[in-house]
Amino acid sequence: MPAELIDLNGEFDLGNQFTLSTATYLSESLDDQFRVIVKYQGPGLPAYDDHKHNIVFCTSKEIHVAPEEFFRDDILIIFQHYFMLDEWGNPIHNPLSYPAPLGTFKDPKEPLKIIPIPEREYDFCFMGQIPHTGTRDCFKRALDNLIEETGDKFKYFVKVTDGFSQGLDKDEYFDILGNSKVCLCPQGAHSAETFRFFEALSMGAFPMIERLPRLWYYENAPFFRTRSWHDIDRTLSESLNFLQTNACRDSLMTLADYVQSVLDPKSLSKRLKEKVEYRLSTRNQTKNTLQEIRQSITHYG
């Protein structure tokens, strides 16, 4: 029998089917001594009165702190979005939890054709909200200046929405991504991570970012980095020029490999299974280390 799979709050019909699919593949690859639970990061995980090994996917909540489950002894391993970071933005390595990529929040109804870069209509795109947290104010000013000062230098699609996952319907959203060479990816409301980064890659568009945390799933990801959003004109020009050269072929291959590994739920689940097996084999040896880390963390999401 495969492992039990629990979608605790039944929320994934709203988005992030990527994570639910990854958890499903993982549960199917494990036997019934395991339980795989998918939930929003926060309180609410019940106590299970049995001896199964509990695996928890903690999703959402952008604040990069330890989830409540981090302090429970009945959890074998946690796969966490917005992984715990220290004050310098480095991951807080520990034996209990492992960073999981956000993946895509939206998905097209049907697989869309990937258009070759030279045939794409837009040089760049941005579709999203400008939150009240102020984290995208600098980005918005830089984008407005770019459009005002460069005229028709770039062909672009820009739509600012009123809230998360509002505005364009999914198919139109992915059609624009698939017709763009570069997708501008400012940080989220509280974190440098954003679903848009992964949604762009899934459609063959290169994300442009200012910064990212040092997490494993960004190490080999293809993207363009700008020193500052106020430098976006020069960074875009250099990036688009690069995409017209033969030198970009390696980057295109890297993008394809990334989508087929990190952004493929079945492939990702195999990596996570290895982490489950390693955690199970080292659980007893790491008890003291885990307790020390727990004592050093004074807050949780």
Side-chain angles (χ1 to χ4, degrees):
M1 292 287 291
E4 179 182 9
L5 175 68
I6 298 176
D7 176 2
L8 194 62
N9 299 316
E11 63 197 352
F12 288 90
D13 59 323
L14 303 176
N16 203 1
Q17 283 286 331
F18 170 85
T19 294
L20 181 59
S21 295
T22 302
T24 301
Y25 281 121
L26 178 61
S27 68
E28 292 171 349
S29 70
L30 298 169
D31 61 36
D32 61 1
Q33 67 175 309
F34 297 92
R35 177 186 290 114
V36 180
I37 307 155
V38 190
K39 66 180 290 292
Y40 186 84
Q41 181 177 306
L45 184 69
Y48 295 98
D49 188 21
D50 55 31
H51 298 290
K52 288 189 176 182
H53 302 297
N54 294 309
I55 301 165
V56 182
F57 283 76
C58 287
T59 69
S60 276
K61 216 162 190 181
E62 295 185 28
I63 50 180
H64 293 283
V65 297
E68 183 182 76
E69 292 75 20
F70 188 76
F71 302 90
R72 287 179 49 162
D73 291 329
D74 61 339
I75 305 300
L76 175 67
I77 191 169
I78 300 167
F79 296 119
Q80 183 187 348
H81 289 179
Y82 303 108
F83 194 74
M84 295 171 280
L85 303 175
D86 64 19
E87 58 187 305
W88 298 282
N90 298 306
I92 300 176
H93 295 291
N94 65 87
L96 181 58
S97 55
Y98 186 71
L102 304 184
T104 56
F105 186 83
K106 299 179 180 181
D107 294 291
K109 293 177 182 177
E110 297 180 2
L112 300 178
K113 179 182 177 182
I114 301 299
I115 301 173
I117 288 290
E119 299 174 18
R120 298 193 174 207
E121 181 177 358
Y122 303 110
D123 292 323
F124 73 88
C125 69
F126 171 75
M127 299 162 283
Q129 65 170 321
I130 304 299
H132 298 301
T133 58
T135 51
R136 289 184 184 164
D137 289 351
C138 177
F139 167 77
K140 181 63 164 57
R141 289 194 298 271
L143 181 58
D144 289 344
N145 289 338
L146 175 76
I147 291 172
E148 181 179 351
E149 294 175 3
T150 61
D152 60 358
K153 177 180 177 180
F154 302 107
K155 189 166 185 183
Y156 57 85
F157 185 96
V158 171
K159 183 174 179 62
V160 176
T161 62
D162 294 329
F164 179 73
S165 197
Q166 297 181 18
L168 302 177
D169 65 37
K170 289 195 295 185
D171 286 344
E172 187 176 5
Y173 173 77
F174 279 99
D175 183 59
I176 298 298
L177 280 179
N179 239 325
S180 301
K181 299 171 184 176
V182 173
C183 175
L184 307 184
C185 295
Q187 73 173 71
H190 301 282
S191 168
E193 296 195 80
T194 169
F195 288 103
R196 184 178 294 101
F197 181 94
F198 301 99
E199 289 162 353
L201 288 172
S202 74
M203 294 306 299
F206 285 86
M208 179 171 289
I209 58 95
E210 189 175 30
R211 61 188 178 90
L212 287 171
R214 296 180 178 90
L215 299 171
W216 71 266
Y217 48 83
Y218 293 124
E219 290 176 357
N220 296 315
F223 56 82
F224 295 120
R225 187 189 300 273
T226 181
R227 286 191 289 268
S228 163
W229 289 119
H230 289 297
D231 199 33
I232 191 172
D233 183 358
R234 185 171 66 85
T235 309
L236 267 173
S237 297
E238 291 175 352
S239 301
L240 293 168
N241 287 337
F242 171 76
L243 291 176
Q244 296 182 51
T245 68
N246 289 333
C248 80
R249 290 180 179 176
D250 287 345
S251 296
L252 293 172
M253 291 297 296
T254 299
L255 193 157
D257 289 343
Y258 191 87
V259 170
Q260 293 169 13
S261 54
V262 176
L263 287 185
D264 175 69
K266 191 169 187 177
S267 295
L268 177 60
S269 72
K270 292 178 180 178
R271 181 186 184 110
L272 301 189
K273 183 182 179 183
E274 293 176 357
K275 299 302 176 183
V276 170
E277 293 170 343
Y278 180 76
R279 168 67 178 147
L280 190 61
S281 68
T282 59
R283 188 175 194 176
N284 291 333
Q285 298 98 293
T286 58
K287 282 184 177 179
N288 291 338
T289 299
L290 179 57
Q291 288 304 324
E292 290 173 1
I293 295 173
R294 282 171 170 167
Q295 291 170 10
S296 70
I297 297 175
T298 58
H299 61 286
Y300 58 85

